[in-house]
Amino acid sequence: NEDNFLINDELQLFVVCDGMGGHAGGEVASAVAVHSLEEAFTSMSWEHDAGIDIRKLTVEHMKVMVQLAGKKIFETAQKERRYRGMGTTCLAAYVQNNIAYIAHVGDSRGYLIRDNSIEQLTEDHSLVNERIRAGMMTVEEAKTHRLKNVITRSLGFENEVKVDVQTLDLEKGDIILLCSDGLSNLVEAKDMGTVVLEHPLQKSAQMLIQMACDGGGDE
């Protein structure tokens, strides 16, 4: 298991990273990403002059911080041969003044659960998703395709990476679900939504993990 995650209620920062790379490289990459983001947010000053577009500025801050995390992974890989080629997905949600800022690279996913429905917020940076968008493959075909785990963007594989950041105005009762493809590949979105809506959050998380394991995933 090369995933790492962060729950920092004080910062209102939540991160999921799914690492890849041999010789424990994936675990190193995902850990570097998580620690780098937490350090960056902890040291960042969020006080700004009046008249500044806070939403736009925060979006740019998130892009830069995720890109810097990618650079740290890349530099670590260049220093140690055994980690060459390692990388990680990165999905980060930061909540400020009832706005969720969601940054992502790779195929880890963010979902919004609102009004008894679930909606995927992020667009997978994956080979099969590119083929779906081009009309070359259906969603059903993608689920079992031999290249379904090939991603087109990751942190650390290259020195530079494009980071997608979106904002979401939150409403009372909204739930944001962050997960790696270890869940989304094995459990349908509608089933995730049903579990989360019908059970307390802590129990929901445990149930979703068990559903993924029952569906063929590894504990």
Side-chain angles (χ1 to χ4, degrees):
N1 187 338
E2 297 181 320
D3 296 353
N4 272 284
F5 67 92
L6 171 71
I7 299 173
N8 190 316
D9 290 318
E10 182 178 352
L11 290 174
Q12 288 290 283
L13 176 66
F14 311 93
V15 183
V16 169
C17 292
D18 182 2
M20 66 210 77
H23 303 287
E27 184 177 357
V28 171
S30 60
V32 170
V34 166
H35 295 152
S36 175
L37 285 172
E38 186 171 32
E39 289 177 1
F41 272 82
T42 300
S43 62
M44 178 65 67
S45 172
W46 297 101
E47 296 182 6
H48 307 292
D49 296 333
I52 295 293
D53 186 334
I54 299 298
R55 185 186 294 245
K56 183 177 180 180
L57 191 60
T58 303
V59 166
E60 292 305 312
H61 279 336
M62 287 199 72
K63 285 183 181 179
V64 170
M65 285 188 279
V66 174
Q67 288 170 340
L68 287 175
K71 285 180 178 292
K72 286 186 178 181
I73 298 168
F74 181 80
E75 290 169 358
T76 300
Q78 298 309 300
K79 292 175 183 176
E80 297 194 49
R81 180 176 291 275
R82 59 179 175 156
Y83 294 147
R84 293 284 171 87
M86 71 177 178
T88 183
T89 71
C90 183
L91 175 62
Y94 169 65
V95 180
Q96 180 188 58
N97 299 325
N98 291 321
I99 301 173
Y101 299 85
I102 300 172
H104 95 285
V105 174
D107 63 355
S108 293
R109 290 182 180 178
Y111 293 90
L112 170 66
I113 300 171
R114 172 187 287 173
D115 296 334
N116 296 316
S117 65
I118 183 168
E119 172 192 358
Q120 184 177 331
L121 297 173
T122 54
E123 184 86 19
D124 291 354
H125 301 141
S126 67
L127 186 60
V128 293
N129 191 52
E130 288 185 358
R131 292 187 177 184
I132 291 170
R133 294 178 65 185
M136 300 168 60
M137 181 184 295
T138 67
V139 173
E140 288 303 314
E141 289 171 339
K143 291 178 181 178
T144 57
H145 196 278
R146 62 185 180 85
L147 299 178
K148 68 178 182 179
N149 294 321
V150 177
I151 62 175
T152 54
R153 282 192 227 170
S154 67
L155 286 191
F157 186 70
E158 296 179 312
N159 193 38
E160 300 287 343
V161 65
K162 181 181 178 182
V163 180
D164 289 351
V165 181
Q166 61 181 289
T167 64
L168 175 68
D169 292 305
L170 297 174
E171 299 178 5
K172 186 176 181 179
D174 282 353
I175 299 171
I176 295 176
L177 170 65
L178 309 180
C179 67
S180 72
D181 65 352
L183 179 65
S184 59
N185 276 350
L186 296 166
V187 180
E188 295 290 339
K190 60 182 178 59
D191 295 328
M192 295 184 208
T194 297
V195 168
V196 173
L197 287 167
E198 294 182 354
H199 300 90
L201 292 183
Q202 185 65 39
K203 185 176 181 180
S204 295
Q206 294 169 348
M207 289 178 67
L208 290 174
I209 291 170
Q210 189 58 54
M211 288 168 70
C213 291
D214 292 343
D218 295 324
E219 189 81 50

